């Protein structure tokens, strides 16, 4: 059943004209749907969102919007099985991968729904304590986040159609900004279905949420100084968005999450068979293979004390050998294909690039192993690959080239100082993790690599039983990173809401400021 | 006495080769100094700052750095008269203009010195309350600002050689980041002298502060993902910096302050002869003519209730007629020339552009009036010009073109809604001011225009006697604005320090996080 995805703009579903892109099942290459935005008037779509949606949201408070997010979350939960099924078909996800995406979406919406309730019946959020600015206490300065008059355009990556849509929309809508959401076309079926559900359940006022199935066309040319453009995807596309007239000429606020060579570090104190070691192995294996390695937070680099190199590689090989690759319609499969033919090609080329400075220690597909359920050689299947780079150096491909698949490189280090230098050579990342119970080492390693990251997780014995893996993005913690990772910041509770508001300093008579601000969120 | 300005890089003063730029007295066009950075190895300069300066600062705490800033502030105060003299000669400043720049520099350094003492003996700044991220209280998330390993490059505007250097350097050094400061060449003498003073007094460890007298050369190509580039100046130059490889390819963090069409609004309630009206007239006149209108925070647009238009224009004309233009060496002069021949040309062209949609109501130079002390027709003198635009519309030049001189346009408005639309048509600005004692009007006007600004000031009767003019940037309040203003944020107390640090979410065992962070600044 090939169906045509429609865009939801100006309060209605619209099919595009012209050439349509095919959306396939990456396990079978069967075409599931087509999409096109040709002929859709992007200017009118943006104007409707900004004006109609903006006016609707201007009438609401954080608490009202929190209630909307709660309803969105519930609607996803109510259609969970259907969405998981679509994620498996269009994304090559296992059911577990699908849950990571779909439950991540409903969970993040719920978190921001609760934050909306907490922020309360106002649309202004206070930023820090105010202070006198003159000689007397009367002349006062107060920073606050106030609603912007613009629209939020969200350009999402192919790997998280549900979560990507939800985490960005949650922050923007809670801030009071209407959303135009554009998922990557190749895996847009889940996001499209979510949009249909949101619309059918009439959760959001007109214009608050729009959706594009297909290319962005000239959408970005329509943005101005009050708008926000948030993008998750490749460095190359991020660069294109950053050099558009909207950003350069009109100062559209832009937030980019791009490439990231996330590292996992095993501390020198961690003993064989310890809880901390076990957590390390579990995390590395999961964050290499979950979603077939197609996570911006996946572990790409593994640093271990030189003396442990051989043992760690052997253990990881053993664990990776148990991964069952194949069509996720097949019950036994624990890792599906990558999502597109292009990804498949890129990962293969990337492994070759890494092999220039490393050796392949383990290839899950060695010996002509075939994916489970594969038919006629179809499908974008990849087996996990573990490389070892014995003498890592900053300029090496392993520190500069992200391979977006189930691939990681293990490297030795000799001192905390060398470790920090090597992790930093990744040029800035989203998240890295350090596994240790040695406080002196943790202090050097964690604080040393912190400047290169938006998030650092510590795996230690006391939290081993309840740890949240580094690759799992929590709504209450920042998601983003400096340098190569795009220099952006999303989520992090209120911080993510602030991205869609204007921070302004108000200066004047304190009594008057208090009166103007009413009872803002504190 | 023409002298050659030298750059201070790699711990020493270096003269450039090749063609030198002339730095003149804009009242007489006499050449005061020359400057060139040709032949200076920018890569080596940056590396020295990043490595030597970075290592020195890594050994220090906020409190230590606060003490350095205090010493810098004191050194400026000790050389105040000499610096004011240079500001008058090279900047065309009146003595009062010079104080605004030089005292702004020492005052901002002192503010951040005090903040350093308050932040204390640590180099980490906590960001908000932490929170549990898992099922138990033990697994915790905490955001913190940690030192980045990079260098801060500061590209400053010609109008504030002292303050521009100091306000940026204060934040970066307090954050723990070494600084390379590049003022606009045309008015660099004051900044150059400050550098000589800092060096002679041995206040800063090696590499912490570098200075370029002349062009930036390939400086920006040397920046990476841990570095910060902060720029104040024209939209066109901001765009060039934003599209460089450092920002696009390596994710150098960039902050831009660019054009701004700041507005002053007179409320419909303000009565003739009231304190609020008097404050409005004083502020508009000062923030049009101070520094010959060469302030990024100068008032360019004045909105008044339609019924008051004629009376307001008449009063402003009377006040502007008292402005005495001329060579600031001449005692009676209250407004000097603009700083460069190019500015002179641009302002004249800009007035013509504004006159396309407005009429010139007042021209201080009408009737062949000559600048005081002008010799042989030399000097970049301009008289104040007041325009009136009777039917302002969003696309008009008055809403899109910044004239960087003693020029403003008065416009009528009929309702708060129209006012907000017109102020917003400026496309985003640094600061606007609203003068009123009517709470209902203030609520509509202030909150309505807030989204377009980094700062909004309220002039009301109760603070009229002590108000700080909108054009005066306070270190404790944000400086920056959305859209046309560059979408940047500087100063604002700790916020400005955060620009030079990395915000990171730390996730793990709460007891361990507390231990790693020690006693961070809260």
């Amino acid at each position: 059943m090939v169906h045509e995805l429609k865009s939801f703009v100006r309060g209605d579903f619209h099919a595009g004209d012209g050439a349509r892109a095919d959306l396939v099942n990456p396990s079978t290459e069967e075409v599931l749907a087509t999409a096109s935005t040709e002929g859709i008037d992007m200017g009118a779509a943006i104007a409707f969102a900004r004006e109609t949606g903006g006016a609707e949201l201007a009438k609401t408070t954080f608490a009202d919007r929190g209630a909307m997010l709660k309803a969105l979350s519930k609607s996803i939960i109510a259609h969970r099985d259907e969405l998981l099924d679509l994620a498996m078909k269009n994304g090559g996800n296992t059911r577990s991968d699908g849950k990571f995406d779909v439950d991540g979406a409903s969970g993040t919406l719920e978190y921001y729904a609760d934050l909306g309730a907490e922020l309360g019946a106002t649309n202004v959020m206070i930023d820090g304590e105010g202070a006198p600015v003159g000689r007397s206490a009367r002349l006062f300065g107060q920073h606050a986040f106030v609603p912007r008059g613009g629209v939020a355009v969200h350009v999402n990556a192919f790997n998280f159609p549900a979560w990507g849509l939800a985490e960005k929309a949650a922050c923007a809508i809670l801030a009071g900004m209407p959303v135009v959401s554009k998922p990557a076309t190749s895996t847009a079926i889940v996001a499209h279905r979510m949009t249909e559900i949101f619309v059918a359940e009439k959760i959001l006022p007109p214009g608050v949420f729009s959706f594009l199935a297909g290319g962005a066309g000239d959408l970005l040319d329509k943005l101005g100084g009050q708008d926000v453009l948030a993008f998750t995807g490749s460095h190359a596309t991020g660069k294109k968005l950053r050099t558009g007239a909207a950003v350069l000429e009109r100062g559209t606020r832009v937030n980019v999450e791009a490439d990231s060579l996330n590292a996992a570090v095993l501390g020198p104190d961690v003993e064989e068979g310890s809880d901390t070691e076990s957590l390390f192995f579990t995390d590395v294996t999961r964050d290499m293979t979950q979603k077939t390695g197609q996570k911006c937070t996946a572990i790409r680099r593994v640093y271990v004390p030189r003396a442990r190199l051989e043992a760690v590689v052997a253990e990881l090989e053993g664990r990776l050998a148990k991964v069952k690759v194949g069509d996720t319609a097949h019950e036994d499969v624990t890792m599906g294909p990558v999502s597109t033919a292009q990804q498949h090609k890129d990962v293969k080329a990337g492994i070759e690039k890494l092999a220039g400075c490393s050796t392949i220690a383990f290839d899950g597909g060695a010996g002509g192993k075939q994916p489970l359920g594969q038919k006629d050689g179809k499908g974008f299947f990849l087996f996990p690959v573990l490389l070892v780079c014995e003498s890592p150096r900053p300029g090496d491909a392993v520190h500069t080239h992200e391979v977006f698949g189930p691939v990681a490189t293990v490297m030795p280090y000799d001192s905390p100082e060398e470790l920090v230098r090597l992790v930093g050579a990744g040029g800035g990342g989203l998240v890295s993790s350090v596994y240790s119970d040695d406080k002196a080492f943790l202090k050097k390693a964690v604080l040393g690599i912190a400047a290169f990251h938006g998030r650092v997780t510590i795996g230690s014995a006391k939290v081993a039983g309840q740890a949240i893996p580094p690759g799992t993005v929590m709504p209450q913690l920042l998601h983003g990173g400096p340098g190569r990772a795009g220099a952006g910041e999303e989520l992090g509770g209120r911080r993510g809401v602030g991205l869609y508001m204007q921070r302004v300093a108000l200066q004047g008579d304190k009594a008057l400021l208090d009166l103007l601000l009413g009872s803002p969120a504190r």
Side-chain angles (χ1 to χ4, degrees), chain A:
Chain A
M1 175 210 67
V2 174
H3 78 121
E4 193 184 341
L5 303 190
K6 288 177 180 169
S7 294
F8 182 70
V9 294
R10 287 184 290 146
D12 215 343
F13 283 97
H14 298 268
D17 310 323
R20 286 170 175 76
D22 288 343
L23 286 73
V24 307
N25 178 331
S27 291
T28 63
E29 302 184 36
E30 174 201 0
V31 177
L32 303 169
T34 63
S36 165
T37 53
E38 247 188 80
I40 287 180
D41 182 339
M42 296 294 176
I46 284 284
F48 182 81
R50 197 190 282 129
E51 285 151 32
T52 306
E56 289 289 344
L57 286 173
K59 292 186 258 174
T60 62
T61 66
F62 291 124
D64 298 331
R65 298 172 210 144
M68 295 176 198
L69 300 183
K70 183 79 87 182
L72 294 179
S73 175
K74 281 187 177 166
S75 75
I76 293 172
I77 293 168
H79 293 81
R80 182 173 185 249
D81 281 333
E82 181 190 355
L83 293 169
L84 292 181
D85 186 53
L86 293 174
M88 290 172 74
K89 281 200 179 115
N90 184 209
N93 291 358
T94 61
R95 191 170 163 88
S96 166
D97 288 342
K99 286 180 194 169
F100 191 70
D101 184 26
V102 172
D103 295 348
S106 56
T108 302
L109 284 163
E110 197 188 349
Y111 170 84
Y112 277 99
D114 291 345
L115 180 58
E118 189 191 301
L119 294 174
T122 175
N123 63 4
V124 174
M125 197 162 68
I126 287 296
D127 178 46
E129 293 300 311
V133 290
R135 289 178 304 272
S136 85
R138 188 185 277 277
L139 190 64
F140 206 71
Q142 177 65 60
H143 292 88
F145 287 95
V146 298
R148 284 164 79 104
V151 62
V153 168
H154 293 160
V155 179
N156 281 313
F158 71 89
N159 51 343
F160 287 103
W163 176 81
L165 181 154
E167 57 100 17
K168 286 188 172 65
C171 289
I173 292 173
L174 187 53
M177 198 176 258
V179 168
V180 177
S181 191
K182 197 212 98 55
T185 308
S186 57
T187 58
I189 295 180
V190 171
H192 179 264
R193 182 66 194 125
M194 281 165 65
T195 303
E196 287 184 335
I197 293 165
F198 298 165
V199 171
E201 302 200 357
K202 297 190 173 60
I203 297 167
L204 298 168
V208 171
F209 185 78
S210 305
F211 177 82
L212 294 174
D218 61 352
L219 175 73
L220 303 183
D221 299 342
K222 309 301 179 189
L223 299 182
Q226 286 282 296
D227 302 321
V228 178
L229 170 60
F231 166 73
T232 300
S234 73
H235 172 77
T237 307
K239 189 170 137 184
K240 209 156 73 182
L241 303 187
R242 275 202 164 114
T243 51
V247 175
L248 288 183
E249 298 299 341
R250 297 185 293 278
T252 301
R253 185 182 287 175
V254 65
N255 194 79
V256 171
E257 308 295 336
D259 304 355
S260 182
L261 293 155
N262 315 294
V265 174
L266 184 69
D269 59 297
V270 181
E271 287 178 18
E272 246 187 276
S274 66
D275 288 349
T276 305
E277 193 204 41
S278 165
L279 178 64
F280 164 80
F281 284 127
T282 307
D283 280 358
V284 171
T285 312
R286 183 204 305 96
D287 279 346
M288 261 186 76
T289 59
Q290 189 178 39
K291 294 207 59 121
T292 319
Q294 299 168 110
K295 287 193 309 197
C296 49
T297 54
I299 292 170
R300 311 290 178 200
R301 300 182 285 158
V302 182
Y303 295 95
V304 302
R306 189 172 292 275
R308 300 291 308 280
L309 183 63
E310 223 171 300
V312 167
V313 171
E315 175 66 26
L316 287 175
E317 285 179 14
R319 290 179 181 236
L320 292 172
K322 290 180 192 145
V323 172
K324 293 204 170 61
V325 174
D327 183 340
T328 55
H330 194 291
E331 254 187 15
D332 294 341
V333 164
T334 59
M335 191 174 93
V338 291
S339 295
T340 67
Q342 186 63 47
Q343 288 302 317
H344 192 253
K345 204 174 126 186
D346 289 350
V347 173
K348 285 188 165 271
I351 294 169
E352 263 182 54
K353 204 159 178 175
L354 295 184
C357 58
S358 317
T359 52
I360 295 178
F362 173 81
D363 179 350
K369 209 165 164 188
Q370 291 306 304
L372 291 169
Q374 185 182 36
K375 282 179 202 121
D376 310 324
K378 293 275 185 186
F380 314 130
F381 298 104
L382 287 167
F383 287 87
V385 169
L386 192 72
L387 299 103
V388 174
C389 173
E390 300 260 4
S391 316
R393 277 169 316 192
D396 287 347
V398 67
H399 293 115
T400 59
H401 187 71
E402 184 185 22
V403 181
F404 213 69
V407 181
T409 307
V410 188
M411 290 167 273
Y413 69 88
D414 291 303
S415 70
E417 292 72 25
E418 188 195 11
L419 170 72
V420 168
R421 204 161 46 243
L422 288 172
V423 173
L430 297 172
V431 57
S432 284
S433 47
V434 183
Y435 300 82
S436 167
D437 295 280
D438 175 344
K439 282 149 200 163
F441 172 77
L442 280 172
K443 194 149 185 153
K444 280 187 194 169
V446 173
L447 296 183
I449 70 172
F452 300 99
H453 292 91
R455 186 161 54 96
V456 177
T457 74
I458 304 170
S460 59
K462 286 197 175 147
V463 295
Q466 57 173 314
I468 292 165
T472 301
V473 175
M474 307 294 291
Q476 57 269 62
L477 300 184
L478 271 187
H479 176 55
R484 182 189 305 279
E489 286 187 339
E490 285 188 328
L491 297 172
R494 294 181 184 214
R495 297 168 190 81
V497 182
L499 173 63
Y500 297 97
M501 303 187 79
Q502 178 60 32
R503 179 149 71 169
V504 65
L506 298 173
Q507 176 182 331
D509 178 356
K510 183 170 190 320
L512 213 45
L513 292 184
D514 286 347
L515 203 137
L516 291 191
L517 291 171
S519 305
R522 286 186 187 273

